[in-house]
Amino acid sequence: LRDQGLGEIDQAKSEEMLNDVRVKLVGRKGELTKILHSMKDIEPGRRREIGQQVNKLRDLFNTRLDHAKSELVKALIEKQLEQEKVDVTLPGRVAHLGSKHPINIILDDLEKYFIGMGYEVVQGPEIETDHYVFEMMNLPKDHPARDMQETFYIDPERLLRSQTSGDQARALEKFDFSKGPLKMVGPGKVYRRDDDDATHSHQFMQMEGMLIDENITMGDLKGTLEMMAKHVFGQDRQTRLRPSYFPFTEPSVEMDVSCFNCDGKGCAICKHTGWIEVLGAGMVHPNVLENAGVDSSVYGGFAFGVGLDRFAILKYGIDDIRDFYTNDVRFLEQFCQEE
Ligand code: PHE
């Protein structure tokens, strides 16, 4: 049995074969166990000697089995290494770098621009309360202008914010005016009940901006907006303010920039007016200040709200807003930029 067993161990060519041999020799129903089971038929005087021999043989088999197994594993690894050899002369594969999303290009640039002028970047929650988005912004529950924004309500008090203007109220409430002027920009996602098409999306990006101090005038607003527009759309752009209406600003304006497609002469993009509307703004309504506990007889300032999607559409000449959100790599790749 000894020689036969060792022979079988040597011949096993795979781990499975070796395992079969192991079961056959030293397993619970193996040869050695069989001998031990038949001890009762052996005369008592020889049992001890045979028992010892069986144990010795089991140790021998186990040692050889373990050895054979490690040899097999080693051979397997050798073979694998051989097969998986790396051909260092093959040309390398080009790693595809991602590109920044066009809206983020505009956003990052604007943040840098405003930080450079001493503004702080804040971020309000996307699930906001009616309190901040509307009530604090001078839109009580029965205000007709609530219809200007088709809001997704979660329950009577919570909603997906339809504008980032709630960030104004949050900033005003927290601010300590003994430390100087409040200057903040608040970018983020906003949501409106809209049927998606080439020019509408139920979710888009806004950036709120606000400056509050003593003696701030409409001239400060105009200068700030004009500089921003030139920064984003080019120094040659002309800008103009048109009167408008927002419940949280008085007076309210919308800003147009001269059409960069036709240089203000009139084309299909600007509907032959020479101008393209880019944002809403105005002087912060005293009620907004008072609601947040700020003395409107001392402090005042301006606020503006920028549609970042709109900026990106205009700047890059994109004709379908849905391109921003479908993550087609062919679209996104166009915005690879040198940093
Ligand atoms: N929140 C306004 C909008 O979504 C934009 C705005 C912001 C206007 C701040 C005035 C001041 O249309």
Side-chain angles (χ1 to χ4, degrees), residues 122-142:
V122 303
Q123 205 142 43
E126 280 172 40
I127 296 179
E128 252 290 20
T129 55
D130 187 271
H131 175 72
Y132 281 111
V133 176
F134 293 127
E135 306 245 337
M136 290 287 280
M137 298 311 290
N138 201 29
L139 277 118
K141 288 236 166 13
D142 55 2

Side-chain angles (χ1 to χ4, degrees), residues 149 162-163 165 168 192 206 208 246 248-249 280-282 303-305:
Q149 299 178 3
S162 52
Q163 54 179 3
S165 296
Q168 288 186 38
R192 289 187 195 176
Q206 273 193 344
E208 200 73 14
F246 300 103
F248 28 87
T249 46
F304 56 88

Side-chain angles (χ1 to χ4, degrees), residues 67 84 97 119 165 196 200 203 213 254 259 277 288 312 316:
H67 179 73
E84 294 171 8
L97 284 184
Y119 284 68
S165 296
D196 292 4
H200 297 86
Q203 183 252 291
D213 199 2
E254 278 171 314
C259 183
E277 180 202 321
V288 172
Y316 297 116

